[in-house]
Amino acid sequence: MEAEWTAVPYIPLDNYRCNNYIGAMARRLQAEIKQRRPFGSLEEEAYLNLLRTTDLLFRGEEALLKPLNLSPPQYNVLRILRGAGSDGLACREITDRMLTRDPDVTRLLDRLEKRGLAVRTREHRDRRVITTRITEEGLRMLKQLDQPILQLQRRQLGHLGRKQLRLLVKVLESAREKAG
């Protein structure tokens, strides 16, 4: 069934129409989650919008990684290890650099090591320290993912344009600074 289009006369946007438009946009999340009551505060609405958006963006990454049997936290660890280079990192350092908190990084590293994507070695200078390094296989997997991940991020956020993306980064950094 083909949609019918009707011509709408041009009406300049005055403050009244602008305010109505902004009000309608503000209720968008409320409609998506089928919430009947208004949000308790603007902060609550912003927080819930952030959670909803994060979930939607995260689903795209999960779908991209799933065929490779890789979870987003595992992907994150591989990227961290690639950035560390041949020096590798101790488990605590990996934990500190992760984008999302994972309570069991040791098991995550076990899975990566079992698949041959990472290797752990006990340091000779201090036998208590175990250093994890990315393997050649891990590097190959990341290389295979670099372009698809970049394309996904551009599909998800590229429509915002550079100016809005910079503003978004600044706003999120400010929120993170106060949250932590």
Side-chain angles (χ1 to χ4, degrees), residues 45-180:
E45 185 175 0
Y47 179 81
L48 294 175
N49 261 292
L50 184 58
L51 287 180
R52 180 75 168 197
T53 304
T54 299
D55 180 60
L56 290 172
L57 295 172
F58 200 65
R59 287 183 203 178
E61 183 179 34
E62 283 179 319
L64 190 66
L65 297 173
K66 190 173 183 170
L68 296 172
N69 197 26
L70 201 64
S71 70
Q74 289 172 332
Y75 172 69
N76 184 214
V77 168
L78 288 175
R79 291 188 66 222
I80 290 167
L81 292 173
R82 176 172 62 183
S86 60
D87 291 341
L89 294 170
C91 186
R92 178 69 183 161
E93 292 174 283
I94 294 168
T95 301
D96 290 344
R97 295 180 186 198
M98 289 188 69
L99 295 174
T100 56
R101 190 168 173 253
D102 192 311
D104 202 353
V105 174
T106 303
R107 281 196 194 162
L108 193 149
L109 293 173
D110 288 343
R111 289 189 294 273
L112 291 174
E113 190 171 35
K114 187 176 180 180
R115 292 184 59 193
L117 302 173
V119 63
R120 289 181 280 190
T121 55
R122 192 169 295 280
E123 291 302 308
H124 297 293
R125 285 175 271 148
D126 185 348
R127 303 278 302 151
R128 296 170 295 177
V129 177
I130 297 174
T131 302
T132 306
R133 293 175 180 83
I134 192 167
T135 63
E136 286 301 318
E137 182 61 30
L139 289 170
R140 274 193 293 278
M141 182 173 280
L142 284 182
K143 188 173 176 71
Q144 177 184 349
L145 285 166
D146 284 342
Q147 274 308 115
I149 290 286
L150 179 61
Q151 290 168 354
L152 171 69
Q153 292 165 346
R154 285 185 174 153
R155 277 194 314 273
Q156 290 175 327
L157 299 171
H159 67 282
L160 295 174
R162 296 188 67 74
K163 188 175 179 180
Q164 280 189 305
L165 284 171
R166 282 191 191 99
L167 178 60
L168 178 61
V169 168
K170 188 175 181 177
V171 168
L172 292 173
E173 286 173 347
S174 179
R176 203 167 49 253
E177 183 180 300
K178 293 295 181 183

Side-chain angles (χ1 to χ4, degrees), residues 26 29-30 33 35-49:
L29 175 63
Q30 201 174 338
I33 63 175
Q35 179 173 317
R36 294 172 195 225
R37 293 180 295 118
F39 294 108
S41 67
L42 187 56
E43 291 83 1
E44 178 186 19
E45 185 175 0
Y47 179 81
L48 294 175
N49 261 292

